[in-house]
């Protein structure tokens, strides 16, 4: 693997590892959002999603099973984005901030699809 590819994957993975660890250590805000979205067993859902972020993020950073890791991270982004950044329910500055985070997650999704080799 080239140095640039390794660095790119590690940098992309870093946000997932960081957020996954944060959500495992302080799950309450994410659990509240999941509960508000009527996700069954929100505590378990947050633990699973956070574990996927940490585990698949580590695999991606190390270049191990990048297609599988990227796919798992992309899948974890779907509920994270829709539940965590519902800009359509917000107004004013909060709407702009949530929309920016939503679009950032879409960009991350695209990057994951690219590094995972999905055409």
């Amino acid at each position: 693997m080239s140095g640039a590819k390794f660095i790119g994957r590690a940098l992309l993975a870093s946000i997932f590892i960081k957020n996954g660890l944060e959500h495992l250590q302080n799950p309450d805000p994410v659990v509240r959002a999941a509960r508000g979205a009527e996700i069954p067993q929100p505590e378990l859902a947050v633990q699973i999603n956070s574990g996927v972020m940490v585990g698949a993020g580590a695999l991606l950073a190390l270049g191990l099973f990048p297609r599988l890791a990227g796919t798992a991270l992309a899948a974890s982004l779907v509920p994270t984005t829709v539940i965590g950044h519902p800009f359509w329910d917000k107004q004013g500055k909060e709407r702009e901030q949530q929309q920016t985070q939503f679009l950032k997650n879409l960009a991350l999704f695209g990057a994951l699809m690219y590094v995972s080799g999905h055409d």
Side-chain angles (χ1 to χ4, degrees):
M1 173 185 332
S2 74
K5 190 176 270 190
F6 177 79
I7 292 168
R9 284 184 175 155
L11 291 173
L12 179 57
S14 68
I15 188 69
F16 295 98
I17 296 168
K18 176 194 172 290
N19 284 345
L21 289 172
E22 282 181 5
H23 296 167
L24 287 170
Q25 293 171 347
N26 182 23
D28 293 341
V30 185
V31 168
R32 276 193 302 275
R35 193 172 285 126
E38 299 183 17
I39 300 296
Q41 298 182 318
E43 293 86 359
L44 180 60
V46 168
Q47 288 175 340
I48 291 170
N49 197 43
S50 300
V52 167
M53 293 171 97
V54 173
L59 289 173
L60 185 64
L62 296 170
L64 301 172
F65 308 105
R67 189 177 188 116
L68 176 64
T71 301
L73 290 170
S76 79
L77 263 180
V78 174
T80 300
T81 302
V82 174
I83 294 168
H85 305 296
F87 66 90
W88 50 88
D89 287 340
K90 310 297 179 189
Q91 298 295 320
K93 187 72 171 169
E94 186 178 7
R95 180 184 177 98
E96 290 176 30
Q97 291 171 338
Q98 290 300 323
Q99 190 173 39
T100 297
Q101 293 302 312
F102 187 94
L103 292 171
K104 180 237 349 150
N105 282 7
L106 290 182
L108 287 170
F109 188 89
L112 288 165
M113 298 312 298
Y114 181 79
V115 301
S116 299
H118 294 280
D119 297 324

